[in-house]
PDB file of all heavy atoms in Angstrom:
ATOM      1  N   GLU A   1      98.648  78.046  83.896  1.00 97.00           N
ATOM      2  CA  GLU A   1      99.921  77.842  84.606  1.00 97.00           C
ATOM      3  C   GLU A   1     101.050  78.748  83.984  1.00 97.00           C
ATOM      4  O   GLU A   1     101.739  79.305  84.748  1.00 97.00           O
ATOM      5  CB  GLU A   1     100.327  76.362  84.370  1.00 97.00           C
ATOM      6  CG  GLU A   1      99.492  75.376  85.142  1.00 97.00           C
ATOM      7  CD  GLU A   1      98.107  75.119  84.473  1.00 97.00           C
ATOM      8  OE1 GLU A   1      98.065  75.395  83.164  1.00 97.00           O
ATOM      9  OE2 GLU A   1      97.236  74.594  85.104  1.00 97.00           O
ATOM     10  N   ASP A   2     101.117  78.805  82.700  1.00 97.00           N
ATOM     11  CA  ASP A   2     102.212  79.594  81.999  1.00 97.00           C
ATOM     12  C   ASP A   2     101.786  81.155  82.308  1.00 97.00           C
ATOM     13  O   ASP A   2     102.715  81.971  82.407  1.00 97.00           O
ATOM     14  CB  ASP A   2     102.262  79.400  80.441  1.00 97.00           C
ATOM     15  CG  ASP A   2     102.949  78.086  80.289  1.00 97.00           C
ATOM     16  OD1 ASP A   2     103.600  77.396  81.070  1.00 97.00           O
ATOM     17  OD2 ASP A   2     102.706  77.431  79.146  1.00 97.00           O
ATOM     18  N   SER A   3     100.504  81.402  82.359  1.00 98.00           N
ATOM     19  CA  SER A   3     100.161  82.827  82.548  1.00 98.00           C
ATOM     20  C   SER A   3     100.535  83.266  84.047  1.00 98.00           C
ATOM     21  O   SER A   3     101.028  84.381  84.194  1.00 98.00           O
ATOM     22  CB  SER A   3      98.600  82.981  82.503  1.00 98.00           C
ATOM     23  OG  SER A   3      98.117  82.687  81.209  1.00 98.00           O
ATOM     24  N   PHE A   4     100.463  82.279  85.010  1.00 98.00           N
ATOM     25  CA  PHE A   4     100.893  82.488  86.374  1.00 98.00           C
ATOM     26  C   PHE A   4     102.460  82.789  86.279  1.00 98.00           C
ATOM     27  O   PHE A   4     102.883  83.776  86.985  1.00 98.00           O
ATOM     28  CB  PHE A   4     100.598  81.338  87.278  1.00 98.00           C
ATOM     29  CG  PHE A   4      99.204  81.365  87.705  1.00 98.00           C
ATOM     30  CD1 PHE A   4      98.180  81.866  87.011  1.00 98.00           C
ATOM     31  CD2 PHE A   4      98.888  80.624  88.995  1.00 98.00           C
ATOM     32  CE1 PHE A   4      96.809  81.842  87.534  1.00 98.00           C
ATOM     33  CE2 PHE A   4      97.596  80.681  89.450  1.00 98.00           C
ATOM     34  CZ  PHE A   4      96.659  81.202  88.841  1.00 98.00           C
ATOM     35  N   ALA A   5     103.099  82.066  85.561  1.00 98.00           N
ATOM     36  CA  ALA A   5     104.628  82.243  85.557  1.00 98.00           C
ATOM     37  C   ALA A   5     104.929  83.511  84.958  1.00 98.00           C
ATOM     38  O   ALA A   5     105.895  84.246  85.459  1.00 98.00           O
ATOM     39  CB  ALA A   5     105.232  81.164  84.578  1.00 98.00           C
ATOM     40  N   ILE A   6     104.209  84.015  83.923  1.00 98.00           N
ATOM     41  CA  ILE A   6     104.519  85.276  83.302  1.00 98.00           C
ATOM     42  C   ILE A   6     104.189  86.337  84.241  1.00 98.00           C
ATOM     43  O   ILE A   6     104.981  87.338  84.407  1.00 98.00           O
ATOM     44  CB  ILE A   6     103.604  85.505  82.032  1.00 98.00           C
ATOM     45  CG1 ILE A   6     104.191  84.614  80.853  1.00 98.00           C
ATOM     46  CG2 ILE A   6     103.632  86.990  81.566  1.00 98.00           C
ATOM     47  CD1 ILE A   6     103.265  84.506  79.681  1.00 98.00           C
ATOM     48  N   MET A   7     103.047  86.324  85.039  1.00 98.00           N
ATOM     49  CA  MET A   7     102.767  87.333  85.991  1.00 98.00           C
ATOM     50  C   MET A   7     103.766  87.358  87.153  1.00 98.00           C
ATOM     51  O   MET A   7     104.168  88.490  87.606  1.00 98.00           O
ATOM     52  CB  MET A   7     101.308  87.160  86.525  1.00 98.00           C
ATOM     53  CG  MET A   7     100.251  87.499  85.512  1.00 98.00           C
ATOM     54  SD  MET A   7      98.617  87.355  86.057  1.00 98.00           S
ATOM     55  CE  MET A   7      98.184  85.605  85.921  1.00 98.00           C
ATOM     56  N   ASP A   8     104.284  86.225  87.502  1.00 98.00           N
ATOM     57  CA  ASP A   8     105.327  86.199  88.540  1.00 98.00           C
ATOM     58  C   ASP A   8     106.484  86.830  88.064  1.00 98.00           C
ATOM     59  O   ASP A   8     107.205  87.640  88.894  1.00 98.00           O
ATOM     60  CB  ASP A   8     105.598  84.650  88.888  1.00 98.00           C
ATOM     61  CG  ASP A   8     104.752  84.177  89.952  1.00 98.00           C
ATOM     62  OD1 ASP A   8     104.187  84.823  90.700  1.00 98.00           O
ATOM     63  OD2 ASP A   8     104.613  82.786  89.979  1.00 98.00           O
ATOM     64  N   ARG A   9     106.905  86.543  86.842  1.00 98.00           N
ATOM     65  CA  ARG A   9     108.112  87.185  86.232  1.00 98.00           C
ATOM     66  C   ARG A   9     107.971  88.645  86.159  1.00 98.00           C
ATOM     67  O   ARG A   9     108.932  89.382  86.344  1.00 98.00           O
ATOM     68  CB  ARG A   9     108.451  86.531  84.976  1.00 98.00           C
ATOM     69  CG  ARG A   9     109.806  86.929  84.405  1.00 98.00           C
ATOM     70  CD  ARG A   9     110.965  86.527  85.247  1.00 98.00           C
ATOM     71  NE  ARG A   9     111.083  85.104  85.304  1.00 98.00           N
ATOM     72  CZ  ARG A   9     111.674  84.263  84.418  1.00 98.00           C
ATOM     73  NH1 ARG A   9     112.185  84.758  83.243  1.00 98.00           N
ATOM     74  NH2 ARG A   9     111.638  83.024  84.611  1.00 98.00           N
ATOM     75  N   ALA A  10     106.834  89.086  85.731  1.00 98.00           N
ATOM     76  CA  ALA A  10     106.521  90.580  85.576  1.00 98.00           C
ATOM     77  C   ALA A  10     106.752  91.216  86.876  1.00 98.00           C
ATOM     78  O   ALA A  10     107.320  92.294  87.001  1.00 98.00           O
ATOM     79  CB  ALA A  10     105.117  90.854  85.145  1.00 98.00           C
ATOM     80  N   LEU A  11     106.251  90.622  87.971  1.00 98.00           N
ATOM     81  CA  LEU A  11     106.466  91.357  89.399  1.00 98.00           C
ATOM     82  C   LEU A  11     107.980  91.331  89.763  1.00 98.00           C
ATOM     83  O   LEU A  11     108.499  92.267  90.283  1.00 98.00           O
ATOM     84  CB  LEU A  11     105.717  90.555  90.387  1.00 98.00           C
ATOM     85  CG  LEU A  11     104.144  90.771  90.327  1.00 98.00           C
ATOM     86  CD1 LEU A  11     103.440  90.095  91.489  1.00 98.00           C
ATOM     87  CD2 LEU A  11     103.766  92.314  90.417  1.00 98.00           C
ATOM     88  N   GLU A  12     108.732  90.155  89.315  1.00 98.00           N
ATOM     89  CA  GLU A  12     110.103  90.120  89.652  1.00 98.00           C
ATOM     90  C   GLU A  12     110.856  91.231  88.902  1.00 98.00           C
ATOM     91  O   GLU A  12     111.876  91.814  89.459  1.00 98.00           O
ATOM     92  CB  GLU A  12     110.672  88.773  89.123  1.00 98.00           C
ATOM     93  CG  GLU A  12     110.262  87.592  89.957  1.00 98.00           C
ATOM     94  CD  GLU A  12     110.702  86.246  89.416  1.00 98.00           C
ATOM     95  OE1 GLU A  12     111.649  86.284  88.422  1.00 98.00           O
ATOM     96  OE2 GLU A  12     110.173  85.272  89.713  1.00 98.00           O
ATOM     97  N   HIS A  13     110.424  91.642  87.808  1.00 98.00           N
ATOM     98  CA  HIS A  13     111.037  92.697  86.948  1.00 98.00           C
ATOM     99  C   HIS A  13     110.425  94.074  87.332  1.00 98.00           C
ATOM    100  O   HIS A  13     111.069  95.091  86.891  1.00 98.00           O
ATOM    101  CB  HIS A  13     110.819  92.440  85.489  1.00 98.00           C
ATOM    102  CG  HIS A  13     111.494  91.392  84.794  1.00 98.00           C
ATOM    103  ND1 HIS A  13     112.895  91.291  84.955  1.00 98.00           N
ATOM    104  CD2 HIS A  13     111.088  90.316  83.959  1.00 98.00           C
ATOM    105  CE1 HIS A  13     113.354  90.189  84.147  1.00 98.00           C
ATOM    106  NE2 HIS A  13     112.253  89.621  83.649  1.00 98.00           N
ATOM    107  N   GLY A  14     109.509  94.106  88.221  1.00 98.00           N
ATOM    108  CA  GLY A  14     108.963  95.435  88.647  1.00 98.00           C
ATOM    109  C   GLY A  14     107.991  95.959  87.759  1.00 98.00           C
ATOM    110  O   GLY A  14     107.624  97.120  87.851  1.00 98.00           O
ATOM    111  N   ILE A  15     107.388  95.121  86.826  1.00 98.00           N
ATOM    112  CA  ILE A  15     106.363  95.589  85.980  1.00 98.00           C
ATOM    113  C   ILE A  15     105.117  95.694  86.734  1.00 98.00           C
ATOM    114  O   ILE A  15     104.471  94.556  87.019  1.00 98.00           O
ATOM    115  CB  ILE A  15     106.229  94.715  84.769  1.00 98.00           C
ATOM    116  CG1 ILE A  15     107.443  94.754  83.887  1.00 98.00           C
ATOM    117  CG2 ILE A  15     105.037  95.182  83.804  1.00 98.00           C
ATOM    118  CD1 ILE A  15     107.459  93.852  82.684  1.00 98.00           C
ATOM    119  N   ASN A  16     104.613  96.769  87.173  1.00 98.00           N
ATOM    120  CA  ASN A  16     103.427  96.927  88.013  1.00 98.00           C
ATOM    121  C   ASN A  16     102.143  97.352  87.251  1.00 98.00           C
ATOM    122  O   ASN A  16     101.082  97.453  87.964  1.00 98.00           O
ATOM    123  CB  ASN A  16     103.809  97.898  89.069  1.00 98.00           C
ATOM    124  CG  ASN A  16     103.681  99.383  88.666  1.00 98.00           C
ATOM    125  OD1 ASN A  16     104.048  99.692  87.568  1.00 98.00           O
ATOM    126  ND2 ASN A  16     103.338 100.197  89.735  1.00 98.00           N
ATOM    127  N   PHE A  17     102.273  97.633  85.968  1.00 98.00           N
ATOM    128  CA  PHE A  17     101.035  98.026  85.192  1.00 98.00           C
ATOM    129  C   PHE A  17     100.528  96.887  84.394  1.00 98.00           C
ATOM    130  O   PHE A  17     101.241  96.459  83.459  1.00 98.00           O
ATOM    131  CB  PHE A  17     101.513  99.178  84.379  1.00 98.00           C
ATOM    132  CG  PHE A  17     100.393 100.059  83.715  1.00 98.00           C
ATOM    133  CD1 PHE A  17      99.081  99.978  84.133  1.00 98.00           C
ATOM    134  CD2 PHE A  17     100.708 100.931  82.658  1.00 98.00           C
ATOM    135  CE1 PHE A  17      98.050 100.765  83.637  1.00 98.00           C
ATOM    136  CE2 PHE A  17      99.738 101.666  82.123  1.00 98.00           C
ATOM    137  CZ  PHE A  17      98.380 101.601  82.534  1.00 98.00           C
ATOM    138  N   TRP A  18      99.422  96.463  84.619  1.00 98.00           N
ATOM    139  CA  TRP A  18      98.892  95.185  83.903  1.00 98.00           C
ATOM    140  C   TRP A  18      97.557  95.632  83.312  1.00 98.00           C
ATOM    141  O   TRP A  18      96.633  96.318  83.895  1.00 98.00           O
ATOM    142  CB  TRP A  18      98.587  94.143  84.878  1.00 98.00           C
ATOM    143  CG  TRP A  18      99.911  93.535  85.460  1.00 98.00           C
ATOM    144  CD1 TRP A  18     101.155  93.997  85.367  1.00 98.00           C
ATOM    145  CD2 TRP A  18     100.039  92.431  86.332  1.00 98.00           C
ATOM    146  NE1 TRP A  18     101.979  93.370  86.182  1.00 98.00           N
ATOM    147  CE2 TRP A  18     101.422  92.212  86.685  1.00 98.00           C
ATOM    148  CE3 TRP A  18      99.129  91.371  86.775  1.00 98.00           C
ATOM    149  CZ2 TRP A  18     101.855  91.263  87.501  1.00 98.00           C
ATOM    150  CZ3 TRP A  18      99.645  90.326  87.661  1.00 98.00           C
ATOM    151  CH2 TRP A  18     100.936  90.295  87.970  1.00 98.00           C
ATOM    152  N   ASP A  19      97.263  95.131  82.118  1.00 98.00           N
ATOM    153  CA  ASP A  19      96.129  95.608  81.351  1.00 98.00           C
ATOM    154  C   ASP A  19      95.387  94.299  80.802  1.00 98.00           C
ATOM    155  O   ASP A  19      95.911  93.428  80.300  1.00 98.00           O
ATOM    156  CB  ASP A  19      96.476  96.434  80.074  1.00 98.00           C
ATOM    157  CG  ASP A  19      95.288  96.694  79.225  1.00 98.00           C
ATOM    158  OD1 ASP A  19      94.522  97.640  79.584  1.00 98.00           O
ATOM    159  OD2 ASP A  19      95.199  96.129  78.141  1.00 98.00           O
ATOM    160  N   THR A  20      93.957  94.326  81.009  1.00 98.00           N
ATOM    161  CA  THR A  20      93.170  93.279  80.488  1.00 98.00           C
ATOM    162  C   THR A  20      91.822  93.895  80.042  1.00 98.00           C
ATOM    163  O   THR A  20      91.713  95.052  79.922  1.00 98.00           O
ATOM    164  CB  THR A  20      93.018  92.177  81.506  1.00 98.00           C
ATOM    165  OG1 THR A  20      92.358  91.118  81.032  1.00 98.00           O
ATOM    166  CG2 THR A  20      92.123  92.770  82.728  1.00 98.00           C
ATOM    167  N   ALA A  21      90.820  92.938  79.759  1.00 98.00           N
ATOM    168  CA  ALA A  21      89.504  93.386  79.327  1.00 98.00           C
ATOM    169  C   ALA A  21      88.549  92.359  79.602  1.00 98.00           C
ATOM    170  O   ALA A  21      88.871  91.156  79.637  1.00 98.00           O
ATOM    171  CB  ALA A  21      89.530  93.814  77.859  1.00 98.00           C
ATOM    172  N   ASP A  22      87.222  92.746  79.748  1.00 97.00           N
ATOM    173  CA  ASP A  22      86.225  91.795  80.102  1.00 97.00           C
ATOM    174  C   ASP A  22      86.086  90.739  79.016  1.00 97.00           C
ATOM    175  O   ASP A  22      85.485  89.645  79.188  1.00 97.00           O
ATOM    176  CB  ASP A  22      84.898  92.541  80.477  1.00 97.00           C
ATOM    177  CG  ASP A  22      84.426  93.519  79.416  1.00 97.00           C
ATOM    178  OD1 ASP A  22      85.149  93.557  78.240  1.00 97.00           O
ATOM    179  OD2 ASP A  22      83.472  94.237  79.624  1.00 97.00           O
ATOM    180  N   VAL A  23      86.308  91.095  77.763  1.00 96.00           N
ATOM    181  CA  VAL A  23      86.129  90.183  76.669  1.00 96.00           C
ATOM    182  C   VAL A  23      87.306  89.274  76.219  1.00 96.00           C
ATOM    183  O   VAL A  23      87.211  88.431  75.486  1.00 96.00           O
ATOM    184  CB  VAL A  23      85.712  90.855  75.429  1.00 96.00           C
ATOM    185  CG1 VAL A  23      84.254  91.523  75.587  1.00 96.00           C
ATOM    186  CG2 VAL A  23      86.664  91.993  75.009  1.00 96.00           C
ATOM    187  N   TYR A  24      88.469  89.524  76.935  1.00 96.00           N
ATOM    188  CA  TYR A  24      89.677  88.723  76.577  1.00 96.00           C
ATOM    189  C   TYR A  24      89.378  87.297  77.022  1.00 96.00           C
ATOM    190  O   TYR A  24      88.825  86.957  78.071  1.00 96.00           O
ATOM    191  CB  TYR A  24      90.949  89.156  77.263  1.00 96.00           C
ATOM    192  CG  TYR A  24      91.360  90.598  76.759  1.00 96.00           C
ATOM    193  CD1 TYR A  24      92.476  91.193  77.387  1.00 96.00           C
ATOM    194  CD2 TYR A  24      90.815  91.139  75.533  1.00 96.00           C
ATOM    195  CE1 TYR A  24      92.967  92.458  76.928  1.00 96.00           C
ATOM    196  CE2 TYR A  24      91.334  92.337  75.092  1.00 96.00           C
ATOM    197  CZ  TYR A  24      92.379  92.894  75.771  1.00 96.00           C
ATOM    198  OH  TYR A  24      92.840  94.194  75.149  1.00 96.00           O
ATOM    199  N   GLY A  25      89.911  86.373  76.180  1.00 95.00           N
ATOM    200  CA  GLY A  25      89.483  84.931  76.246  1.00 95.00           C
ATOM    201  C   GLY A  25      88.564  84.530  75.219  1.00 95.00           C
ATOM    202  O   GLY A  25      88.472  83.363  74.815  1.00 95.00           O
ATOM    203  N   TRP A  26      87.841  85.587  74.692  1.00 92.00           N
ATOM    204  CA  TRP A  26      87.039  85.502  73.469  1.00 92.00           C
ATOM    205  C   TRP A  26      85.921  84.321  73.567  1.00 92.00           C
ATOM    206  O   TRP A  26      85.619  83.697  72.515  1.00 92.00           O
ATOM    207  CB  TRP A  26      87.941  85.316  72.226  1.00 92.00           C
ATOM    208  CG  TRP A  26      88.926  86.359  72.245  1.00 92.00           C
ATOM    209  CD1 TRP A  26      90.368  86.084  72.431  1.00 92.00           C
ATOM    210  CD2 TRP A  26      88.825  87.786  72.163  1.00 92.00           C
ATOM    211  NE1 TRP A  26      91.056  87.357  72.426  1.00 92.00           N
ATOM    212  CE2 TRP A  26      90.080  88.329  72.303  1.00 92.00           C
ATOM    213  CE3 TRP A  26      87.804  88.622  72.100  1.00 92.00           C
ATOM    214  CZ2 TRP A  26      90.422  89.807  72.305  1.00 92.00           C
ATOM    215  CZ3 TRP A  26      87.970  90.001  72.104  1.00 92.00           C
ATOM    216  CH2 TRP A  26      89.309  90.510  72.144  1.00 92.00           C
ATOM    217  N   LYS A  27      85.411  84.109  74.657  1.00 94.00           N
ATOM    218  CA  LYS A  27      84.220  83.264  75.048  1.00 94.00           C
ATOM    219  C   LYS A  27      83.206  84.169  75.611  1.00 94.00           C
ATOM    220  O   LYS A  27      83.325  84.567  76.708  1.00 94.00           O
ATOM    221  CB  LYS A  27      84.644  82.187  75.825  1.00 94.00           C
ATOM    222  CG  LYS A  27      85.532  81.083  75.186  1.00 94.00           C
ATOM    223  CD  LYS A  27      85.730  79.914  76.071  1.00 94.00           C
ATOM    224  CE  LYS A  27      86.647  78.860  75.371  1.00 94.00           C
ATOM    225  NZ  LYS A  27      87.056  77.716  76.257  1.00 94.00           N
ATOM    226  N   LEU A  28      82.123  84.357  74.849  1.00 94.00           N
ATOM    227  CA  LEU A  28      81.191  85.375  75.274  1.00 94.00           C
ATOM    228  C   LEU A  28      80.745  85.221  76.676  1.00 94.00           C
ATOM    229  O   LEU A  28      80.170  84.269  77.067  1.00 94.00           O
ATOM    230  CB  LEU A  28      79.929  85.379  74.244  1.00 94.00           C
ATOM    231  CG  LEU A  28      78.870  86.430  74.422  1.00 94.00           C
ATOM    232  CD1 LEU A  28      79.554  87.726  73.999  1.00 94.00           C
ATOM    233  CD2 LEU A  28      77.676  86.096  73.548  1.00 94.00           C
ATOM    234  N   GLY A  29      80.949  86.315  77.460  1.00 93.00           N
ATOM    235  CA  GLY A  29      80.498  86.398  78.836  1.00 93.00           C
ATOM    236  C   GLY A  29      81.265  85.542  79.801  1.00 93.00           C
ATOM    237  O   GLY A  29      80.973  85.589  81.023  1.00 93.00           O
ATOM    238  N   GLU A  30      82.305  84.844  79.372  1.00 95.00           N
ATOM    239  CA  GLU A  30      83.043  83.993  80.368  1.00 95.00           C
ATOM    240  C   GLU A  30      84.235  84.663  80.983  1.00 95.00           C
ATOM    241  O   GLU A  30      84.673  84.117  82.024  1.00 95.00           O
ATOM    242  CB  GLU A  30      83.495  82.698  79.567  1.00 95.00           C
ATOM    243  CG  GLU A  30      82.390  81.861  79.211  1.00 95.00           C
ATOM    244  CD  GLU A  30      82.788  80.477  78.710  1.00 95.00           C
ATOM    245  OE1 GLU A  30      83.926  80.095  79.008  1.00 95.00           O
ATOM    246  OE2 GLU A  30      82.089  79.780  77.991  1.00 95.00           O
TER     247      GLU A  30
END
């Protein structure tokens, strides 16, 4: 829920460049 709020606010500010990775969350394979 808080992640959604952060992404909404990023778009409000015009931040269009978002970075992630397949291992983020740190639960193997999830």
Side-chain angles (χ1 to χ4, degrees):
E1 294 76 17
D2 289 342
S3 300
F4 279 27
I6 290 171
M7 289 186 277
D8 277 336
R9 187 65 61 85
L11 290 181
E12 290 174 13
H13 286 309
I15 298 175
N16 74 332
F17 193 18
W18 297 6
D19 177 75
T20 191
D22 54 4
V23 293
Y24 289 173
W26 312 114
K27 293 183 178 180
L28 188 66
E30 294 191 20

